[in-house]
Amino acid sequence: MLIRKPLVVACMALAPMVHAQESGNWKGEAELGVLVTSGNSEETKVNGRLGLIHETGTWRNSGDFSSKYTEAEDETTAEEYKAALEADHKFDDQQYWFVRGSWEDDRFSGYDFESTLTTGYGNRVWQSGDRSFLDLSAGAGYRYNKLEQVDVDTGRDVEEEAIARLAGQFDYGLSETSLFRQKLSTEIGLDDNNTITQSETSLQSTIVNSLSMKVAFRVKHVSDAPEGSDKTDTETSLSLLYGF
């Protein structure tokens, strides 16, 4: 396979976003808070996140970058970095074609890093106003994960396979100052049948002007997790959001 580095995945997804940035008009949000985890790491962590979005008549480009870190008695007990970039080419107000790249480095997951590149079709099947909508998408792509240790069954330290991706996002404006959001995705391995499913349920409410409070619950399930790692990780977070 040609893709060997997570950097390649990020660059391929980033290319359309760089072109879009020339026209400006980016919107985003910065998030800082604490979260409690269970699974491969049971800690109370500090988390940070930056989300960006740019939308024109024919393109919607987004980027999401996050990190989590905990240190106890001069020893790192949790450390994670994530990046996801997506470019959507809109055919009309509902239909779009997407290209998405993701990269994740979690020191306590059993993986050295995880990366994917996918492309496919999406549809905004429902929308009400500017803040309430339902997006559904389906596509296919490639997964390249580097294990921290050699798998005793396969003798390999790399997982690489074609994948199918299904995803959805539901936003609902409960009021002018509060928003409910549900994200769900599953990436199904077509060779080794390793399925990775992620869910995030959140509720945010405006405190004053561009500052909001957000509470979220996240679940990640890996059907064929590395040896010695839990299949399911959960996070409960409370954070402040600043929109710009």
Side-chain angles (χ1 to χ4, degrees):
M1 305 295 287
L2 294 177
I3 302 175
R4 284 291 184 265
K5 298 293 184 180
L7 181 59
V8 176
V9 174
C11 289
M12 292 181 70
L14 182 61
M17 299 180 65
V18 174
H19 173 73
Q21 189 178 22
E22 297 174 0
S23 59
N25 298 321
W26 284 91
K27 294 191 299 183
E29 57 185 21
E31 179 177 346
L32 182 64
V34 295
L35 57 86
V36 178
T37 65
S38 67
N40 290 295
S41 177
E42 298 188 3
E43 300 282 348
T44 299
K45 310 177 186 178
V46 175
N47 72 298
R49 173 182 161 270
L50 175 65
L52 298 170
I53 188 168
H54 177 279
E55 192 157 358
T56 66
T58 56
W59 286 97
R60 177 172 55 242
N61 306 286
S62 59
D64 200 270
F65 313 90
S66 63
S67 66
K68 304 177 182 71
Y69 184 80
T70 300
E71 185 177 285
E73 298 180 356
D74 297 326
E75 181 180 354
T76 300
T77 55
E79 186 174 4
E80 178 185 305
Y81 305 96
K82 290 183 180 180
L85 303 170
E86 181 170 323
D88 302 334
H89 178 67
K90 296 183 289 182
F91 302 118
D92 52 36
D93 290 340
Q94 292 179 290
Q95 303 178 86
Y96 59 93
W97 191 266
F98 73 87
V99 177
R100 182 181 187 274
S102 69
W103 174 79
E104 179 176 341
D105 180 4
D106 183 349
R107 283 184 56 184
F108 298 89
S109 66
Y111 289 103
D112 189 18
F113 65 78
E114 304 170 66
S115 62
T116 64
L117 178 64
T118 53
T119 185
Y121 170 80
N123 195 311
R124 180 155 290 186
V125 297
W126 173 79
Q127 183 161 6
S128 177
D130 296 331
R131 303 173 67 234
S132 300
F133 62 85
L134 173 61
D135 279 355
L136 298 177
S137 63
Y142 172 77
R143 172 191 293 153
Y144 184 85
N145 296 343
K146 182 72 165 58
L147 296 166
E148 290 184 345
Q149 299 179 356
V150 175
D151 188 289
V152 294
D153 295 324
T154 64
R156 299 181 301 169
D157 65 350
V158 166
E159 295 177 351
E160 51 182 330
E161 60 180 331
I163 60 173
R165 175 179 169 83
L166 303 173
Q169 178 173 330
F170 174 64
D171 279 21
Y172 187 75
L174 300 173
S175 68
E176 292 184 359
T177 58
S178 60
L179 176 70
F180 171 83
R181 174 172 291 165
Q182 175 65 55
K183 294 181 179 180
L184 181 64
S185 68
T186 184
E187 294 175 343
I188 306 164
L190 303 181
D191 297 325
D192 296 334
N193 299 315
N194 188 16
T195 299
I196 299 177
T197 301
Q198 300 190 67
S199 170
E200 178 182 307
T201 306
S202 65
L203 180 64
Q204 63 185 67
S205 180
T206 301
I207 299 174
V208 58
N209 297 328
S210 299
L211 190 64
S212 302
M213 181 73 73
K214 175 183 174 182
V215 58
F217 178 70
R218 303 177 187 89
V219 180
K220 179 180 179 180
H221 178 78
V222 181
S223 66
D224 188 14
E227 186 178 0
S229 299
D230 290 339
K231 293 185 176 182
T232 302
D233 290 317
T234 67
E235 298 177 351
T236 303
S237 66
L238 180 65
S239 54
L240 289 175
L241 279 172
Y242 178 75
F244 56 91

